Amino acid sequence: MIRVDRSIVLQVVNFVALVFLLFRFLFKPVVKALDRRSQLIKGELQKIAEEKETLEKMKQSLLEEKKNLKEEYVRTIDQARLEAAKIKEEIVREAFEEGEKIRKEYEKRAKKEVEKLFSTMKEEMVNVAEEVIKKFLQSQITPEIQTQIIANMFEEAMKQLEAVMEVGHGQRND
Amino acid sequence: MEELFNPQVFFYFLGLPVTKTVVSTWIVMAFLVILSWFITRRMNPVPTRLQNIVELFVEAIINLIEGMSPGNGRKFLPLVGSLALFIGTASIAHLVPGLKAPTSDFNTAFALALVVFFAVPFYGIAMRGVRGYFREYVSPSPILLPFHIISEITRTFSLALRLFGNILGEEIIIGIFFLLSPLFVPIPMMLFSVFTGVIQAYIFTILTVVYISAAVEVHEG
């Protein structure tokens, strides 16, 4: 038969005591440990989030730097190309000027040579004419022979003149 | 069989009978407290196997309470957790030779139910105030006051009798099996009693959480 006796009081007291004892020796330390771990995990997660943020910032900064460097590189290359083009232009211009100067110098020299040749020719012709006159005067030369001699001499002089002219033209082309 | 209903009285303490049930209760209590102390004496940030089991249990109880009464998991943990641990352990104490399952004694089951009976208004008043808590007894109409009171009393008896009946029934069946074939036949039944003990602990615990949650819950209107 079910019977309720005074031991129920002891059982109530026992259970209340057990609640306090388990709170002291079990629940409190376990909850504390769970909280501590939770805090630790939260702290670690926060640290990771902060580190992630820092890394993200670093990444952004590096990307920015990379972009700047690329721009700098492109700018430098463009500038270098421009400068190279300028230098090239300068060199070509200088070379052209130098060439022009050399050409003018040679032209001048050729002109001088031609003038010198002309004067030499003139002297030669005078000499030849003197010779012809001398010979004409020394021997009796018929008018036909005289004409023939003068024509021959004139032809020879013309050939020499043409040769001189050709030499002068060749020098100018060089 | 008489021993099951009228446990042996060892001595009297302040006029109160110290029965075999009370002694078994003390042994169960000592076991639980020493085991708790042993496990929690050094709590590691990386839990050991035993610490893991204990943490799992505590978290399960907190989650059970939070599921029914959000935000109160830690407030009810000492009472609810102690009930679960004590009933679970006490219900299988009879498997240890010489011990009696304290919960198979109606005095223990009723004592636990009485604790719940007083814990409900305790938490209710603590969280809602005297007026707020007792208003529930006269709502939606004061006519319902006696029914509310009867409900409180009957559910306390129902809690006690359910626990007591199941554990006593288990003990009686195992006792009968022992009488019929003492060698191997009772073993499956004894293993089954472990399962029954855990189930009874769970039922008692969850009902306690339900009663306390209902008491602390603020009803609109």
Side-chain angles (χ1 to χ4, degrees):
Chain A
M1 196 56 198
I2 299 171
R3 197 167 56 91
V4 178
D5 56 34
R6 281 176 296 165
S7 70
I8 193 170
V9 179
L10 269 179
Q11 291 298 65
V12 170
V13 172
N14 282 342
F15 183 72
V16 172
L18 181 68
V19 171
F20 281 104
L21 287 170
L22 285 182
F23 175 71
R24 166 75 182 78
F25 292 110
L26 180 68
F27 300 120
K28 200 175 165 186
V30 171
V31 167
K32 212 167 147 186
L34 288 174
D35 282 347
R36 206 166 39 226
R37 191 175 307 140
S38 160
Q39 284 296 323
L40 197 80
I41 291 167
K42 212 182 275 178
E44 289 292 319
L45 283 175
Q46 200 175 341
K47 216 157 77 181
I48 288 167
E50 277 169 12
E51 274 175 18
K52 198 177 161 189
E53 203 177 321
T54 313
L55 284 174
E56 193 64 34
K57 274 182 190 166
M58 263 171 79
K59 188 185 162 189
Q60 287 299 327
S61 146
L62 284 173
L63 281 174
E64 190 71 24
E65 209 170 312
K66 189 184 165 189
K67 196 179 153 193
N68 288 343
L69 281 174
K70 204 171 176 182
E71 279 173 9
E72 181 76 31
Y73 163 77
V74 170
R75 213 166 33 238
T76 310
I77 289 285
D78 283 351
Q79 205 171 342
R81 275 189 186 140
L82 273 174
E83 278 185 19
K86 262 186 202 169
I87 291 167
K88 183 184 163 190
E89 210 173 292
E90 185 73 18
I91 289 168
V92 167
R93 194 179 56 77
E94 275 176 10
F96 185 75
E97 276 175 8
E98 187 72 20
E100 196 66 15
K101 220 161 90 182
I102 291 166
R103 189 179 67 80
K104 276 178 183 169
E105 182 70 25
Y106 273 98
E107 220 170 51
K108 220 159 98 182
R109 269 161 64 179
K111 214 173 174 180
K112 270 185 189 168
E113 285 291 324
V114 168
E115 277 169 8
K116 202 172 150 187
L117 273 172
F118 266 116
S119 69
T120 313
M121 274 290 296
K122 262 184 197 169
E123 278 174 19
E124 282 291 322
M125 279 176 77
V126 169
N127 289 340
V128 168
E130 274 178 9
E131 278 297 314
V132 168
I133 291 165
K134 268 185 193 167
K135 278 181 182 174
F136 181 72
L137 291 174
Q138 279 173 1
S139 62
Q140 284 181 337
I141 302 164
T142 60
E144 286 84 20
I145 295 166
Q146 193 181 339
T147 310
Q148 186 65 40
I149 291 164
I150 290 165
N152 286 344
M153 285 188 70
F154 191 74
E155 200 177 332
E156 202 177 322
M158 282 307 283
K159 274 181 187 168
Q160 279 181 2
L161 184 66
E162 272 176 17
V164 168
M165 288 291 277
E166 258 177 43
V167 169
H169 188 70
Q171 279 175 345
R172 212 173 342 182
N173 281 347
D174 288 341
Chain B
M1 197 62 81
E2 179 60 24
E3 171 69 15
L4 282 172
F5 290 100
N6 294 311
Q8 180 191 352
V9 177
F10 290 128
F11 61 93
Y12 285 86
F13 175 73
L14 300 172
L16 302 169
V18 178
T19 58
K20 190 176 181 183
T21 308
V22 175
V23 174
S24 295
T25 303
W26 286 343
I27 292 169
V28 169
M29 280 171 65
F31 169 73
L32 286 175
V33 171
I34 291 168
L35 188 69
S36 300
W37 169 80
F38 179 76
I39 294 170
T40 61
R41 74 190 195 286
R42 268 197 304 268
M43 296 295 277
N44 297 318
V46 180
T48 56
R49 199 179 302 170
L50 274 175
Q51 188 185 329
N52 236 330
I53 294 168
V54 168
E55 285 182 8
L56 216 67
F57 169 77
V58 171
E59 277 188 324
I61 296 287
I62 291 174
N63 290 338
L64 179 79
I65 301 166
E66 291 283 339
M68 285 185 232
S69 181
N72 294 320
R74 297 195 174 186
K75 284 177 199 151
F76 306 158
L77 174 70
L79 175 71
V80 177
S82 302
L83 274 173
L85 265 182
F86 179 71
I87 297 170
T89 317
S91 300
I92 55 173
H94 62 93
L95 298 177
V96 178
L99 278 188
K100 173 184 166 57
T103 43
S104 68
D105 186 335
F106 187 68
N107 286 300
T108 310
F110 196 57
L112 295 176
L114 270 181
V115 171
V116 175
F117 177 80
F118 286 111
V120 170
F122 171 78
Y123 283 117
I125 292 167
M127 295 181 78
R128 295 172 60 193
V130 179
R131 190 180 286 234
Y133 175 72
F134 284 109
R135 195 185 294 139
E136 287 297 316
Y137 282 86
V138 290
S139 69
S141 164
I143 300 166
L144 293 172
L145 177 66
F147 296 101
H148 278 299
I149 294 168
I150 290 167
S151 154
E152 293 281 331
I153 294 166
T154 51
R155 79 182 184 191
T156 305
F157 275 99
S158 120
L159 262 183
L161 286 167
R162 185 185 301 109
L163 178 63
F164 162 71
N166 277 292
I167 305 301
L168 182 73
E170 199 69 45
E171 270 198 12
I172 291 172
I173 291 170
I174 292 171
I176 291 168
F177 278 151
F178 258 118
L179 288 175
L180 294 175
S181 170
L183 204 55
F184 295 115
V185 180
I187 292 173
M189 207 59 213
M190 286 162 84
L191 289 174
F192 186 68
S193 74
V194 175
F195 174 69
T196 315
V198 173
I199 290 286
Q200 286 312 310
Y202 180 72
I203 291 169
F204 200 99
T205 306
I206 207 159
L207 284 172
T208 304
V209 176
V210 169
Y211 298 155
I212 297 173
S213 301
V216 299
E217 194 181 334
V218 179
H219 297 284
E220 296 297 322

